[in-house]
Amino acid sequence: MASALAAKMGFNSLLRKQAKNFSVRICTMESDMEFNCEVKLKGKELFDLVCRALGLRETWFFGLQYNVKDTVAWLKMEKRVLDQEIPKEEPITFQFLAKFYPENAEEELVQDITQHLFFLQVKKKILDEEIHCPPEASVLLASYAVHAKYGDYDPGIHKPGFLAEEELLPKRVINLYQMTPEMWEERITACYAQHRGRTRDEAEMEYLKIAQDLDMYGVNYFLIRNKKGTDLLLGVDALGLHIYDLDNKLTPKCSFPWNEIRNISYSDKEFTIKPLDKKANVFKFNSSRLRVNKLILQLCIGNHDLFMRRRRVDSLEVQQMKAQAREEHARKQVERQRLQREKQMREEAERARNELERRLMHLQDEAQMANDALLRSEQTADLLAEKAQIAEEEAKLLAEKAAEAETEMQRIKVTAIRGQEERRLIEQKMIQAEMLALQMAEESERRAKEAEHLKQDLQEARESERRAKHKLLEIMSKDVYAVSTSTSFLYADSSLFVMSRENLSFEFKDTDMKRLSMEIEKEKVEYMEKSKHLQEQLNELKTEIESLKLKERETPLDIIHNQNAEQGTSKHSNFKKVPNSRHGAQILLCLPFIIRL
């Protein structure tokens, strides 16, 4: 080890001699950054440089991680970068990750960027199965991840198959059930549709609030061996130290909360935990190497400091950050309400425009129908006029025939004086002619009446034509009025939008901030009701997919999780209630925390 360290120091010294600067690549969960740094740069200076580039102020949760052989290490803040056991590469690569986890993400994470970085890191750990997640919780978490990426669910945009390329569920969960990707997408989309109205930040926070209740959330595991030579796992998290069996990372055998630990120390590979109760047994164990003991001690110190810090009054910087966060939240809330009002006004204007277009179409249909009726009336009038003309001609022809019959009758009367026989014949002919004339006269009179009736029908048809033309003129005048009304309405709406944009201003008064604080307190009260609803939703999801579960594919962690769920146990079951009052904090501050190398 000494020779390896000497070689490492020689490599770093060679770097300092060859150049005054060196390159560093920082890999975050979203993107990579590169910096050209001076040789004398310390770890704290590099860390602050990265935090400024990200706009991050809650720096106490994060660190710069790098790999050393078969384990990981965190960059020390007080030492120079090149004086540490960093990889022999150019550029030097570090992972910017969360080193410590909060007890309650909603209360402790103030900045949106802090919340977003935690969301990305926890999501990756769940998908990589570094954090065990039950199937029903996996579906719900996936729905919040989809909402954080795509926003509100829109059936017109988010059609079946839009999640085909997304990695949303752990492979263990997918293999555990006889379900197709389409079936998984259907269940995720059903949950996703219920999150309408949430912002991206709210969806990410809901994700973290569910994830922080998982048994493996925020726990760093280390392989250790007790005095009897039994291999165990040591878990370090925000609440304390936990001892696990090798095959059970969910339920600890015993736990040591930070407020019950009096002293932690190590000598070479032996690590000692002394409880606050002097009558309690001292727990000792051995780790694989000295480097692991140093890493355990770093995590213990950092988690203990944050544990004590949470139970003290917030520093001025944190108070300022929380005040700024509240103001930003209030500003975003007002902005969301304004956008919601504008959206509602646009929707109402769109509905009004659609209604006007519908009415215009209706009026146009009525106009078309009136125009068709007018055309039919004109055609009927022309037909009646033609029939009347034909009737008049027939009447004239009958009159001419009647005149001819009268002339024939006169001629027969003149020749009637010729002989009795001729007279008798003539009288017969006269009688016949008179009867014929009478019939022709009656027919002529009937034709005349028919012609008069047709004239009346013609007059009525012309009157109907006049009324149809008058109705068409009225409808056309209504069309012009409707169109002008629609245009003025839309102009009025658009001017309203302009006025709303030009006159938009906000003043945050003390009364507004008090009201906002009361609303925030009300939201905290409502959180318990939402948690109950969340548990019901998880149970419903579990019931839906339980029939498709393949028992033979369950992992040991799945079996342990189901047993814990039936027994109601978790990693917090061994904890006594931790005091949160300021008086309790003062007592904890008096506890000695001695580090002996």
Side-chain angles (χ1 to χ4, degrees), residues 488-544:
S488 63
F489 182 80
L490 293 176
Y491 284 157
D493 286 347
S494 62
S495 64
L496 179 61
F497 295 154
V498 173
M499 291 176 62
S500 66
R501 290 189 178 93
E502 292 176 352
N503 298 331
L504 186 63
S505 62
F506 304 96
E507 291 185 14
F508 293 103
K509 299 180 180 180
D510 295 338
T511 57
D512 296 333
M513 294 308 298
K514 291 179 180 179
R515 178 175 56 81
L516 180 60
S517 300
M518 293 176 66
E519 291 179 358
I520 293 173
E521 293 296 324
K522 183 179 179 181
E523 290 177 358
K524 290 183 177 179
V525 174
E526 293 174 352
Y527 170 73
M528 297 303 295
E529 298 179 0
K530 293 181 180 178
S531 298
K532 182 178 179 182
H533 173 70
L534 175 63
Q535 188 61 38
E536 293 175 354
Q537 192 175 9
L538 288 172
N539 292 334
E540 183 179 351
L541 283 172
K542 183 176 181 180
T543 304
E544 287 181 0

Short mmCIF file of all heavy atoms in Angstrom, two decimals, residues 488-544:
data_model
loop_
_atom_site.label_atom_id
_atom_site.label_comp_id
_atom_site.label_asym_id
_atom_site.label_seq_id
_atom_site.Cartn_x
_atom_site.Cartn_y
_atom_site.Cartn_z
N SER A 488 -66.39 41.99 -33.27
CA SER A 488 -66.21 42.91 -32.16
C SER A 488 -65.94 42.18 -30.86
O SER A 488 -65.18 42.61 -30.05
CB SER A 488 -67.46 43.78 -32.03
OG SER A 488 -68.59 42.98 -31.72
N PHE A 489 -66.55 41.00 -30.68
CA PHE A 489 -66.32 40.20 -29.46
C PHE A 489 -64.89 39.75 -29.38
O PHE A 489 -64.25 39.85 -28.37
CB PHE A 489 -67.29 39.02 -29.43
CG PHE A 489 -67.15 38.18 -28.20
CD1 PHE A 489 -67.74 38.58 -27.00
CD2 PHE A 489 -66.40 37.02 -28.23
CE1 PHE A 489 -67.60 37.80 -25.90
CE2 PHE A 489 -66.27 36.26 -27.12
CZ PHE A 489 -66.88 36.67 -25.94
N LEU A 490 -64.38 39.24 -30.49
CA LEU A 490 -63.00 38.76 -30.50
C LEU A 490 -62.04 39.91 -30.30
O LEU A 490 -61.04 39.79 -29.62
CB LEU A 490 -62.69 38.04 -31.81
CG LEU A 490 -63.46 36.73 -32.00
CD1 LEU A 490 -63.17 36.14 -33.36
CD2 LEU A 490 -63.12 35.74 -30.91
N TYR A 491 -62.34 41.11 -30.93
CA TYR A 491 -61.47 42.26 -30.71
C TYR A 491 -61.50 42.67 -29.25
O TYR A 491 -60.50 43.04 -28.68
CB TYR A 491 -61.91 43.40 -31.60
CG TYR A 491 -61.51 43.25 -33.04
CD1 TYR A 491 -62.19 43.91 -34.03
CD2 TYR A 491 -60.45 42.41 -33.39
CE1 TYR A 491 -61.80 43.75 -35.35
CE2 TYR A 491 -60.08 42.23 -34.70
CZ TYR A 491 -60.77 42.91 -35.70
OH TYR A 491 -60.41 42.76 -37.00
N ALA A 492 -62.67 42.58 -28.63
CA ALA A 492 -62.78 42.94 -27.24
C ALA A 492 -61.96 42.01 -26.37
O ALA A 492 -61.28 42.42 -25.47
CB ALA A 492 -64.25 42.94 -26.80
N ASP A 493 -61.99 40.70 -26.68
CA ASP A 493 -61.20 39.71 -25.91
C ASP A 493 -59.73 39.97 -26.07
O ASP A 493 -58.96 39.91 -25.15
CB ASP A 493 -61.55 38.31 -26.36
CG ASP A 493 -62.92 37.90 -25.81
OD1 ASP A 493 -63.43 38.60 -24.91
OD2 ASP A 493 -63.41 36.88 -26.27
N SER A 494 -59.31 40.21 -27.30
CA SER A 494 -57.89 40.44 -27.53
C SER A 494 -57.42 41.68 -26.82
O SER A 494 -56.34 41.74 -26.28
CB SER A 494 -57.60 40.54 -29.04
OG SER A 494 -58.31 41.64 -29.58
N SER A 495 -58.26 42.75 -26.81
CA SER A 495 -57.87 43.95 -26.07
C SER A 495 -57.81 43.68 -24.59
O SER A 495 -57.00 44.19 -23.87
CB SER A 495 -58.87 45.07 -26.37
OG SER A 495 -60.15 44.73 -25.88
N LEU A 496 -58.69 42.78 -24.11
CA LEU A 496 -58.64 42.40 -22.71
C LEU A 496 -57.33 41.71 -22.38
O LEU A 496 -56.73 41.96 -21.34
CB LEU A 496 -59.82 41.49 -22.39
CG LEU A 496 -59.90 40.98 -20.94
CD1 LEU A 496 -60.04 42.17 -19.99
CD2 LEU A 496 -61.08 40.04 -20.79
N PHE A 497 -56.87 40.83 -23.28
CA PHE A 497 -55.58 40.17 -23.07
C PHE A 497 -54.46 41.21 -23.01
O PHE A 497 -53.56 41.14 -22.22
CB PHE A 497 -55.29 39.15 -24.17
CG PHE A 497 -56.25 38.00 -24.18
CD1 PHE A 497 -56.50 37.28 -25.33
CD2 PHE A 497 -56.89 37.64 -22.98
CE1 PHE A 497 -57.38 36.24 -25.31
CE2 PHE A 497 -57.76 36.58 -22.96
CZ PHE A 497 -58.02 35.90 -24.12
N VAL A 498 -54.50 42.19 -23.93
CA VAL A 498 -53.43 43.20 -23.96
C VAL A 498 -53.42 43.96 -22.66
O VAL A 498 -52.40 44.21 -22.05
CB VAL A 498 -53.62 44.13 -25.17
CG1 VAL A 498 -52.62 45.26 -25.11
CG2 VAL A 498 -53.47 43.35 -26.44
N MET A 499 -54.64 44.36 -22.22
CA MET A 499 -54.72 45.10 -20.97
C MET A 499 -54.21 44.28 -19.80
O MET A 499 -53.52 44.78 -18.93
CB MET A 499 -56.15 45.55 -20.72
CG MET A 499 -56.65 46.61 -21.69
SD MET A 499 -58.40 47.01 -21.41
CE MET A 499 -58.31 47.62 -19.77
N SER A 500 -54.54 42.94 -19.82
CA SER A 500 -54.10 42.10 -18.70
C SER A 500 -52.60 41.96 -18.69
O SER A 500 -52.00 41.82 -17.66
CB SER A 500 -54.77 40.74 -18.79
OG SER A 500 -54.31 40.09 -19.94
N ARG A 501 -51.97 41.98 -19.87
CA ARG A 501 -50.50 41.86 -19.91
C ARG A 501 -49.84 43.19 -19.52
O ARG A 501 -48.84 43.22 -18.85
CB ARG A 501 -50.05 41.44 -21.29
CG ARG A 501 -50.41 40.00 -21.65
CD ARG A 501 -49.74 39.58 -22.92
NE ARG A 501 -50.05 38.20 -23.24
CZ ARG A 501 -51.06 37.83 -24.01
NH1 ARG A 501 -51.85 38.75 -24.51
NH2 ARG A 501 -51.28 36.56 -24.29
N GLU A 502 -50.44 44.35 -20.00
CA GLU A 502 -49.80 45.63 -19.75
C GLU A 502 -49.98 46.07 -18.31
O GLU A 502 -49.10 46.68 -17.72
CB GLU A 502 -50.39 46.67 -20.68
CG GLU A 502 -50.04 46.46 -22.15
CD GLU A 502 -50.71 47.48 -23.04
OE1 GLU A 502 -51.54 48.23 -22.53
OE2 GLU A 502 -50.36 47.52 -24.23
N ASN A 503 -51.12 45.75 -17.72
CA ASN A 503 -51.41 46.23 -16.37
C ASN A 503 -51.07 45.22 -15.30
O ASN A 503 -51.45 45.37 -14.15
CB ASN A 503 -52.89 46.58 -16.28
CG ASN A 503 -53.28 47.70 -17.25
OD1 ASN A 503 -52.44 48.51 -17.56
ND2 ASN A 503 -54.54 47.72 -17.69
N LEU A 504 -50.41 44.09 -15.66
CA LEU A 504 -50.11 43.02 -14.70
C LEU A 504 -48.99 43.44 -13.78
O LEU A 504 -47.89 43.75 -14.22
CB LEU A 504 -49.73 41.73 -15.43
CG LEU A 504 -49.54 40.52 -14.55
CD1 LEU A 504 -50.85 40.18 -13.86
CD2 LEU A 504 -49.08 39.36 -15.40
N SER A 505 -49.26 43.49 -12.52
CA SER A 505 -48.23 43.82 -11.54
C SER A 505 -48.63 43.18 -10.23
O SER A 505 -49.82 43.02 -9.93
CB SER A 505 -48.07 45.34 -11.40
OG SER A 505 -49.26 45.92 -10.95
N PHE A 506 -47.66 42.87 -9.42
CA PHE A 506 -47.92 42.17 -8.16
C PHE A 506 -47.20 42.91 -7.04
O PHE A 506 -46.07 43.38 -7.22
CB PHE A 506 -47.42 40.71 -8.22
CG PHE A 506 -47.98 39.94 -9.35
CD1 PHE A 506 -47.26 39.81 -10.53
CD2 PHE A 506 -49.24 39.39 -9.25
CE1 PHE A 506 -47.79 39.12 -11.57
CE2 PHE A 506 -49.76 38.70 -10.30
CZ PHE A 506 -49.02 38.57 -11.45
N GLU A 507 -47.87 42.97 -5.89
CA GLU A 507 -47.26 43.52 -4.69
C GLU A 507 -47.47 42.51 -3.57
O GLU A 507 -48.60 42.11 -3.28
CB GLU A 507 -47.92 44.83 -4.29
CG GLU A 507 -47.62 45.98 -5.25
CD GLU A 507 -48.21 47.30 -4.75
OE1 GLU A 507 -48.60 47.36 -3.57
OE2 GLU A 507 -48.28 48.23 -5.51
N PHE A 508 -46.39 42.09 -3.02
CA PHE A 508 -46.47 41.13 -1.92
C PHE A 508 -46.50 41.94 -0.62
O PHE A 508 -45.50 42.57 -0.26
CB PHE A 508 -45.27 40.17 -1.92
CG PHE A 508 -45.26 39.25 -3.08
CD1 PHE A 508 -44.41 39.44 -4.17
CD2 PHE A 508 -46.15 38.18 -3.10
CE1 PHE A 508 -44.43 38.59 -5.22
CE2 PHE A 508 -46.16 37.32 -4.15
CZ PHE A 508 -45.31 37.54 -5.21
N LYS A 509 -47.64 41.93 0.07
CA LYS A 509 -47.81 42.64 1.32
C LYS A 509 -47.70 41.66 2.48
O LYS A 509 -47.74 40.46 2.30
CB LYS A 509 -49.17 43.34 1.35
CG LYS A 509 -49.31 44.36 0.23
CD LYS A 509 -50.66 45.06 0.27
CE LYS A 509 -50.82 46.08 -0.85
NZ LYS A 509 -52.11 46.76 -0.83
N ASP A 510 -47.62 42.26 3.69
CA ASP A 510 -47.51 41.40 4.86
C ASP A 510 -48.74 40.53 5.00
O ASP A 510 -48.66 39.35 5.36
CB ASP A 510 -47.33 42.25 6.11
CG ASP A 510 -46.00 43.01 6.08
OD1 ASP A 510 -45.10 42.54 5.33
OD2 ASP A 510 -45.85 44.01 6.77
N THR A 511 -49.90 41.10 4.75
CA THR A 511 -51.13 40.30 4.86
C THR A 511 -51.12 39.15 3.89
O THR A 511 -51.58 38.05 4.20
CB THR A 511 -52.36 41.19 4.62
OG1 THR A 511 -52.22 41.81 3.32
CG2 THR A 511 -52.46 42.27 5.67
N ASP A 512 -50.58 39.38 2.66
CA ASP A 512 -50.51 38.29 1.66
C ASP A 512 -49.60 37.18 2.13
O ASP A 512 -49.91 36.00 1.98
CB ASP A 512 -50.03 38.83 0.32
CG ASP A 512 -51.01 39.83 -0.28
OD1 ASP A 512 -52.21 39.72 0.02
OD2 ASP A 512 -50.56 40.68 -1.03
N MET A 513 -48.45 37.56 2.71
CA MET A 513 -47.50 36.53 3.16
C MET A 513 -48.08 35.76 4.34
O MET A 513 -47.90 34.56 4.45
CB MET A 513 -46.18 37.17 3.56
CG MET A 513 -45.43 37.82 2.40
SD MET A 513 -45.21 36.68 1.01
CE MET A 513 -44.23 35.44 1.80
N LYS A 514 -48.83 36.48 5.25
CA LYS A 514 -49.47 35.75 6.35
C LYS A 514 -50.50 34.79 5.82
O LYS A 514 -50.63 33.67 6.30
CB LYS A 514 -50.11 36.74 7.31
CG LYS A 514 -49.11 37.57 8.10
CD LYS A 514 -49.79 38.55 9.02
CE LYS A 514 -48.79 39.41 9.82
NZ LYS A 514 -49.45 40.38 10.69
N ARG A 515 -51.29 35.26 4.85
CA ARG A 515 -52.29 34.37 4.27
C ARG A 515 -51.62 33.18 3.61
O ARG A 515 -52.10 32.04 3.74
CB ARG A 515 -53.11 35.14 3.23
CG ARG A 515 -54.16 34.28 2.54
CD ARG A 515 -55.02 35.13 1.60
NE ARG A 515 -54.16 35.84 0.64
CZ ARG A 515 -53.68 35.29 -0.45
NH1 ARG A 515 -53.95 34.03 -0.75
NH2 ARG A 515 -52.92 35.98 -1.29
N LEU A 516 -50.49 33.42 2.90
CA LEU A 516 -49.79 32.31 2.26
C LEU A 516 -49.25 31.33 3.29
O LEU A 516 -49.30 30.11 3.11
CB LEU A 516 -48.64 32.85 1.40
CG LEU A 516 -47.80 31.81 0.66
CD1 LEU A 516 -48.68 31.01 -0.29
CD2 LEU A 516 -46.66 32.49 -0.08
N SER A 517 -48.76 31.86 4.42
CA SER A 517 -48.25 30.98 5.48
C SER A 517 -49.37 30.11 6.03
O SER A 517 -49.18 28.94 6.29
CB SER A 517 -47.63 31.82 6.58
OG SER A 517 -46.56 32.58 6.07
N MET A 518 -50.55 30.73 6.20
CA MET A 518 -51.70 29.95 6.69
C MET A 518 -52.07 28.87 5.70
O MET A 518 -52.39 27.75 6.09
CB MET A 518 -52.89 30.87 6.93
CG MET A 518 -52.68 31.85 8.09
SD MET A 518 -54.06 33.00 8.25
CE MET A 518 -55.34 31.89 8.72
N GLU A 519 -51.98 29.19 4.39
CA GLU A 519 -52.28 28.19 3.38
C GLU A 519 -51.27 27.04 3.40
O GLU A 519 -51.62 25.88 3.21
CB GLU A 519 -52.31 28.82 1.99
CG GLU A 519 -53.48 29.77 1.78
CD GLU A 519 -53.46 30.39 0.38
OE1 GLU A 519 -52.50 30.09 -0.35
OE2 GLU A 519 -54.38 31.16 0.06
N ILE A 520 -49.99 27.41 3.63
CA ILE A 520 -48.95 26.37 3.70
C ILE A 520 -49.21 25.45 4.90
O ILE A 520 -49.10 24.23 4.81
CB ILE A 520 -47.56 27.01 3.79
CG1 ILE A 520 -47.23 27.74 2.46
CG2 ILE A 520 -46.50 25.98 4.07
CD1 ILE A 520 -45.97 28.54 2.50
N GLU A 521 -49.59 26.06 6.08
CA GLU A 521 -49.91 25.23 7.23
C GLU A 521 -51.12 24.34 6.94
O GLU A 521 -51.17 23.18 7.36
CB GLU A 521 -50.20 26.13 8.44
CG GLU A 521 -48.99 26.90 8.96
CD GLU A 521 -47.93 25.95 9.47
OE1 GLU A 521 -48.28 24.92 10.05
OE2 GLU A 521 -46.74 26.22 9.31
N LYS A 522 -52.08 24.91 6.22
CA LYS A 522 -53.26 24.11 5.86
C LYS A 522 -52.87 22.95 4.96
O LYS A 522 -53.39 21.83 5.10
CB LYS A 522 -54.28 25.00 5.15
CG LYS A 522 -55.56 24.27 4.81
CD LYS A 522 -56.54 25.22 4.13
CE LYS A 522 -57.82 24.49 3.76
NZ LYS A 522 -58.77 25.38 3.08
N GLU A 523 -51.91 23.18 4.02
CA GLU A 523 -51.44 22.11 3.14
C GLU A 523 -50.77 21.00 3.95
O GLU A 523 -50.89 19.82 3.62
CB GLU A 523 -50.48 22.66 2.10
CG GLU A 523 -51.15 23.54 1.05
CD GLU A 523 -50.15 24.14 0.08
OE1 GLU A 523 -48.94 23.87 0.27
OE2 GLU A 523 -50.55 24.86 -0.83
N LYS A 524 -50.04 21.39 5.03
CA LYS A 524 -49.40 20.36 5.86
C LYS A 524 -50.45 19.49 6.54
O LYS A 524 -50.27 18.29 6.70
CB LYS A 524 -48.49 21.02 6.90
CG LYS A 524 -47.24 21.67 6.30
CD LYS A 524 -46.35 22.24 7.37
CE LYS A 524 -45.06 22.83 6.80
NZ LYS A 524 -44.20 23.39 7.82
N VAL A 525 -51.56 20.14 7.00
CA VAL A 525 -52.63 19.35 7.62
C VAL A 525 -53.25 18.41 6.62
O VAL A 525 -53.56 17.26 6.90
CB VAL A 525 -53.69 20.30 8.21
CG1 VAL A 525 -54.88 19.50 8.73
CG2 VAL A 525 -53.08 21.13 9.33
N GLU A 526 -53.43 18.92 5.36
CA GLU A 526 -54.05 18.10 4.33
C GLU A 526 -53.12 16.98 3.86
O GLU A 526 -53.56 16.04 3.20
CB GLU A 526 -54.43 18.97 3.13
CG GLU A 526 -55.54 19.94 3.45
CD GLU A 526 -55.81 20.89 2.28
OE1 GLU A 526 -55.00 20.86 1.32
OE2 GLU A 526 -56.80 21.63 2.31
N TYR A 527 -51.81 17.09 4.19
CA TYR A 527 -50.86 16.05 3.72
C TYR A 527 -51.21 14.68 4.29
O TYR A 527 -51.06 13.67 3.62
CB TYR A 527 -49.45 16.47 4.12
CG TYR A 527 -48.43 15.38 3.90
CD1 TYR A 527 -48.03 15.05 2.59
CD2 TYR A 527 -47.88 14.68 4.95
CE1 TYR A 527 -47.12 14.06 2.38
CE2 TYR A 527 -46.97 13.68 4.74
CZ TYR A 527 -46.58 13.38 3.44
OH TYR A 527 -45.67 12.39 3.23
N MET A 528 -51.69 14.67 5.57
CA MET A 528 -52.02 13.38 6.17
C MET A 528 -53.17 12.72 5.42
O MET A 528 -53.16 11.52 5.18
CB MET A 528 -52.40 13.58 7.65
CG MET A 528 -51.25 14.13 8.49
SD MET A 528 -49.78 13.06 8.41
CE MET A 528 -50.41 11.60 9.18
N GLU A 529 -54.17 13.55 5.03
CA GLU A 529 -55.28 12.99 4.25
C GLU A 529 -54.79 12.48 2.90
O GLU A 529 -55.22 11.42 2.43
CB GLU A 529 -56.35 14.05 4.05
CG GLU A 529 -56.96 14.53 5.36
CD GLU A 529 -58.02 15.60 5.13
OE1 GLU A 529 -58.25 15.93 3.97
OE2 GLU A 529 -58.60 16.09 6.13
N LYS A 530 -53.86 13.23 2.27
CA LYS A 530 -53.32 12.78 0.97
C LYS A 530 -52.53 11.48 1.15
O LYS A 530 -52.55 10.61 0.27
CB LYS A 530 -52.42 13.86 0.37
CG LYS A 530 -53.17 15.11 -0.06
CD LYS A 530 -52.24 16.13 -0.68
CE LYS A 530 -52.98 17.38 -1.10
NZ LYS A 530 -52.05 18.40 -1.66
N SER A 531 -51.80 11.35 2.31
CA SER A 531 -51.04 10.12 2.55
C SER A 531 -51.98 8.93 2.65
O SER A 531 -51.70 7.86 2.14
CB SER A 531 -50.22 10.27 3.83
OG SER A 531 -49.31 11.32 3.70
N LYS A 532 -53.15 9.15 3.31
CA LYS A 532 -54.13 8.07 3.39
C LYS A 532 -54.64 7.69 2.02
O LYS A 532 -54.75 6.51 1.69
CB LYS A 532 -55.28 8.51 4.29
CG LYS A 532 -56.34 7.43 4.49
CD LYS A 532 -57.42 7.92 5.42
CE LYS A 532 -58.49 6.84 5.61
NZ LYS A 532 -59.59 7.31 6.49
N HIS A 533 -54.91 8.75 1.21
CA HIS A 533 -55.35 8.47 -0.16
C HIS A 533 -54.27 7.76 -0.96
O HIS A 533 -54.55 6.85 -1.75
CB HIS A 533 -55.70 9.79 -0.85
CG HIS A 533 -56.01 9.65 -2.31
ND1 HIS A 533 -57.16 9.04 -2.79
CD2 HIS A 533 -55.30 10.03 -3.41
CE1 HIS A 533 -57.15 9.05 -4.10
NE2 HIS A 533 -56.05 9.64 -4.50
N LEU A 534 -52.99 8.15 -0.74
CA LEU A 534 -51.87 7.51 -1.44
C LEU A 534 -51.78 6.03 -1.07
O LEU A 534 -51.58 5.17 -1.94
CB LEU A 534 -50.58 8.24 -1.08
CG LEU A 534 -49.28 7.63 -1.63
CD1 LEU A 534 -49.31 7.68 -3.15
CD2 LEU A 534 -48.08 8.38 -1.10
N GLN A 535 -51.96 5.72 0.24
CA GLN A 535 -51.89 4.33 0.66
C GLN A 535 -53.01 3.52 0.03
O GLN A 535 -52.82 2.38 -0.39
CB GLN A 535 -51.97 4.26 2.19
CG GLN A 535 -51.70 2.87 2.75
CD GLN A 535 -50.30 2.39 2.39
OE1 GLN A 535 -49.35 3.14 2.38
NE2 GLN A 535 -50.15 1.12 2.07
N GLU A 536 -54.23 4.12 -0.02
CA GLU A 536 -55.34 3.43 -0.68
C GLU A 536 -55.06 3.20 -2.15
O GLU A 536 -55.38 2.14 -2.70
CB GLU A 536 -56.62 4.26 -0.52
CG GLU A 536 -57.10 4.35 0.93
CD GLU A 536 -58.30 5.27 1.07
OE1 GLU A 536 -58.65 5.91 0.05
OE2 GLU A 536 -58.88 5.33 2.17
N GLN A 537 -54.43 4.20 -2.78
CA GLN A 537 -54.09 4.05 -4.21
C GLN A 537 -53.06 2.94 -4.42
O GLN A 537 -53.17 2.14 -5.36
CB GLN A 537 -53.55 5.38 -4.73
CG GLN A 537 -53.44 5.45 -6.25
CD GLN A 537 -53.03 6.84 -6.70
OE1 GLN A 537 -52.67 7.67 -5.89
NE2 GLN A 537 -53.09 7.07 -8.00
N LEU A 538 -52.06 2.85 -3.50
CA LEU A 538 -51.06 1.79 -3.60
C LEU A 538 -51.71 0.42 -3.42
O LEU A 538 -51.42 -0.53 -4.14
CB LEU A 538 -49.97 2.01 -2.54
CG LEU A 538 -49.01 3.19 -2.80
CD1 LEU A 538 -48.11 3.40 -1.60
CD2 LEU A 538 -48.20 2.96 -4.05
N ASN A 539 -52.62 0.33 -2.43
CA ASN A 539 -53.29 -0.96 -2.21
C ASN A 539 -54.14 -1.35 -3.42
O ASN A 539 -54.22 -2.52 -3.79
CB ASN A 539 -54.16 -0.87 -0.96
CG ASN A 539 -53.33 -0.74 0.30
OD1 ASN A 539 -52.17 -1.16 0.33
ND2 ASN A 539 -53.88 -0.13 1.35
N GLU A 540 -54.80 -0.36 -4.02
CA GLU A 540 -55.63 -0.65 -5.20
C GLU A 540 -54.77 -1.15 -6.35
O GLU A 540 -55.13 -2.12 -7.04
CB GLU A 540 -56.38 0.62 -5.62
CG GLU A 540 -57.32 0.39 -6.80
CD GLU A 540 -58.05 1.66 -7.16
OE1 GLU A 540 -57.95 2.65 -6.39
OE2 GLU A 540 -58.72 1.67 -8.20
N LEU A 541 -53.61 -0.50 -6.58
CA LEU A 541 -52.70 -0.94 -7.63
C LEU A 541 -52.20 -2.36 -7.36
O LEU A 541 -52.11 -3.20 -8.26
CB LEU A 541 -51.51 0.02 -7.75
CG LEU A 541 -51.79 1.35 -8.46
CD1 LEU A 541 -50.59 2.27 -8.32
CD2 LEU A 541 -52.09 1.11 -9.92
N LYS A 542 -51.86 -2.62 -6.09
CA LYS A 542 -51.36 -3.95 -5.75
C LYS A 542 -52.42 -5.01 -5.99
O LYS A 542 -52.14 -6.10 -6.49
CB LYS A 542 -50.92 -3.94 -4.28
CG LYS A 542 -50.31 -5.26 -3.82
CD LYS A 542 -49.81 -5.15 -2.39
CE LYS A 542 -49.17 -6.46 -1.94
NZ LYS A 542 -48.68 -6.36 -0.55
N THR A 543 -53.70 -4.70 -5.67
CA THR A 543 -54.79 -5.65 -5.89
C THR A 543 -55.00 -5.93 -7.37
O THR A 543 -55.26 -7.06 -7.78
CB THR A 543 -56.08 -5.10 -5.27
OG1 THR A 543 -55.85 -4.83 -3.88
CG2 THR A 543 -57.22 -6.10 -5.41
N GLU A 544 -54.87 -4.88 -8.22
CA GLU A 544 -55.11 -5.03 -9.65
C GLU A 544 -54.12 -5.99 -10.30
O GLU A 544 -54.47 -6.81 -11.15
CB GLU A 544 -55.03 -3.67 -10.34
CG GLU A 544 -56.24 -2.78 -10.05
CD GLU A 544 -56.12 -1.46 -10.77
OE1 GLU A 544 -55.10 -1.26 -11.47
OE2 GLU A 544 -57.02 -0.62 -10.65
#
